[in-house]
Amino acid sequence: MTLERTFIAIKPDGVQRGLIGEILSRFESKGFKLVALKQLVPTRELAEQHYGVHRERPFFKGLVNFITSGPVVAMVWEGEGVINSSRKLIGGTKPLEAEPGTIRGDLAINIGRNVIHGSDSPETAVYEIGLWFQKSELNEWKPADQTWRVED
Ligand code: DAT
Ligand code: MG
């Protein structure tokens, strides 16, 4: 079993629309483990580093303006296969094409207001966790019901 960690962020639209609890509950109910969580308004520098791969895209400036426009809930979730599984829970980038049952499929309609971010690969996850969190902010702990979610 390979334990993975992924970076998940509820974007400013999700926070403003009161969707924090709804979104958290999907990861919690699935059984993944929350190892870090904080709310912050990202600086432009952080946002530009986070979305660095999109720097040359026409939507980059709007994306950075949006992500820095208000509080974001930044998180790290842990579990076997959590990176891919989170992308499935989140759904496709275009909310109108995202499957019903996914976060974007159920809660959003516009690509520029798609409520949540999730790392797309192990390399991206390591980069994004390091960008948003100090090591000391990542909590090592064992959920009391762990043996009812995963076999030893
Ligand atoms: P994802 O967030 O599903 O990983 P991505 O990495 O391709 O998608 O793009 C990052 C964000 O940029 C995406 O959540 C919304 C925005 N975005 C992507 N493509 C866009 C487009 N064609 N027009 C406007 N915004 C776009
Ligand atoms: Mg992406």
Side-chain angles (χ1 to χ4, degrees):
M1 182 175 102
T2 319
L3 265 192
E4 289 181 345
R5 286 180 171 178
T6 194
F7 174 72
I8 301 291
I10 303 174
K11 298 180 181 180
D13 53 338
V15 175
Q16 299 286 351
R17 291 174 56 206
L19 296 172
I20 297 170
E22 163 82 36
I23 291 171
L24 282 182
S25 76
R26 298 195 179 208
F27 288 86
E28 241 179 358
S29 306
K30 176 75 174 167
F32 291 127
K33 184 170 92 176
L34 182 64
V35 296
L37 179 147
K38 63 183 174 185
Q39 188 190 64
L40 72 160
V41 180
T43 61
R44 278 198 92 74
E45 188 188 6
L46 174 58
E48 286 174 0
Q49 286 179 297
H50 174 77
Y51 280 127
V53 291
H54 298 304
R55 197 172 290 275
E56 305 303 328
R57 309 285 283 276
F59 58 81
F60 180 70
K61 194 166 174 219
L63 182 59
V64 171
N65 287 343
F66 164 58
I67 207 77
T68 57
S69 67
V72 164
V73 173
M75 298 171 268
V76 177
W77 289 86
E78 182 183 283
E80 188 180 0
V82 70
I83 300 171
N84 258 331
S85 178
S86 294
R87 295 285 294 189
K88 287 184 183 164
L89 291 175
I90 289 169
T93 306
K94 297 178 180 172
L96 289 181
E97 291 171 18
E99 291 296 322
T102 65
I103 292 166
R104 286 169 173 166
D106 289 350
L107 304 175
I109 51 178
N110 187 273
I111 192 170
R113 299 288 184 270
N114 63 10
V115 302
I116 183 167
H117 167 85
S119 306
D120 63 7
S121 70
E123 296 72 31
T124 314
V126 168
Y127 172 71
E128 291 175 351
I129 292 168
L131 189 60
W132 289 78
F133 286 97
Q134 304 287 332
K135 255 206 165 86
S136 59
E137 294 177 297
L138 307 174
N139 302 309
E140 306 290 340
W141 65 293
K142 183 173 174 180
D145 60 354
Q146 176 108 331
T147 54
W148 301 102
R149 301 162 193 269
V150 292
E151 294 177 74
D152 287 332

